Amino acid sequence: MFLNFDNNGSIDIAPPSRAHFVLGVASSAYIVALTFVSARVLVKAKLGKFGLEDVLICISAFLGLATLVWTSIACKYGFGIHTVDVLPEWILPFGVLNYSTIAICTVCFYCTKTSMLVFYLRLATERPFRIVIYISITYLTLSFGIVTFIHVFSCSPISGAWDRRPSMKSICITTMLDYHFAAVNVLMTDILMIVLPIPIVLRLRMKWLAKLGLMAMFSMGFLITAVSIVSVWIMHVSVIGKDILWDGAYSWMLTLVEMYVGIMTACMPAMNMFIKWIRGEKSVPAEPENDTIGGGG
């Protein structure tokens, strides 16, 4: 409970909300992710190597900030409170924010994972590995394209997706189908991000200790997958329940954390270089050169 005083001096009891906790956790995660991205940009600028994967991760960082800002604005219109406490005039602005935020979040996930795949492509020189990565990029593009299409055109007319006022007559795909398809797709691509680099790292010509270090960096994908599974479960409970703004607050928080941890994971190799740089150690390329990978192995 929060006590607010209006202009007449009377006490206004604000409804309980989970928004402050959600924003606190998400903001902290974003600050860490932004630190990783900044370190990556500095390292790549120092090396004079700024590729497509770096552009994509910078776009992800910007979209991650946009998602956080949109979420904070949505808190003014009922996000994180009980549905019964939502005022009628909040329904339309919240719907617009929710509709746009989910679209931005989806593109952010896509850019982050595509950035990782492009990095894997730089590591893999053998044709079979490269074909698998190209197929993965194609799958990623098609799957996220389908998810975005379903989200954008989930209602007829389209405005019904964000205008949920009783006066709005629209036909929409069930929310459960929309959310579950998107969540399962994110989970599947999380698993893909874990599996793909393993054979590539195993074939690198480096000491086993270094290989284990690289695999430890990529193993953050297991954390992302675990967060994704918990988020899907909470989201399922929220959608079938009657209090989605309250119950779904933690699910959205975990989605944001998953998104930001994904950005951190994509920046791990460059972050390792950054740490060596500030410790005064000799700089080496942020990714192995082609003649040190695979080969005739």
Side-chain angles (χ1 to χ4, degrees), residues 270-284:
M271 192 65 183
N272 182 44
M273 284 297 308
F274 180 76
I275 293 173
K276 290 182 178 180
W277 179 24
I278 62 176
R279 289 172 58 183
E281 297 182 21
K282 183 179 179 180
S283 295
V284 295

Side-chain angles (χ1 to χ4, degrees), residues 179-180 183-184 187 225-241 247-248 250-251 254-255:
Y179 285 179
H180 279 64
V184 170
L187 181 58
T225 304
V227 172
S228 182
I229 292 173
V230 175
S231 178
V232 169
W233 170 249
I234 296 178
M235 180 205 65
H236 173 75
V237 174
S238 304
V239 171
I240 65 176
D247 295 333
Y250 288 159
S251 174
L254 290 175
T255 298

Side-chain angles (χ1 to χ4, degrees), residues 182-204:
V184 170
N185 180 65
V186 170
L187 181 58
M188 291 290 291
T189 52
D190 285 342
I191 296 173
L192 181 66
M193 294 299 106
I194 295 173
V195 174
L196 267 181
I198 294 177
I200 298 175
V201 172
L202 289 176
R203 297 178 71 86
L204 289 175

Side-chain angles (χ1 to χ4, degrees), residues 62-81:
F62 174 77
L63 294 176
L65 176 61
T67 303
L68 185 61
V69 171
W70 256 235
T71 301
S72 64
I73 297 174
C75 293
K76 296 175 58 179
Y77 299 103
F79 173 75
I81 69 174

Side-chain angles (χ1 to χ4, degrees), residues 99 102-104 106-107 110 140-158 161-162 171-173 177-179 181-182 185:
Y99 181 80
I102 292 176
I104 294 171
T106 301
V107 177
Y110 171 76
L140 200 69
T141 302
L142 290 176
S143 63
F144 275 91
I146 292 171
V147 167
T148 303
F149 181 86
I150 292 175
H151 174 67
V152 172
F153 300 102
S154 60
C155 292
S156 178
I158 294 177
W162 62 79
I171 301 175
C172 300
I173 298 174
L177 176 63
D178 187 4
Y179 285 179
F181 183 77
N185 180 65

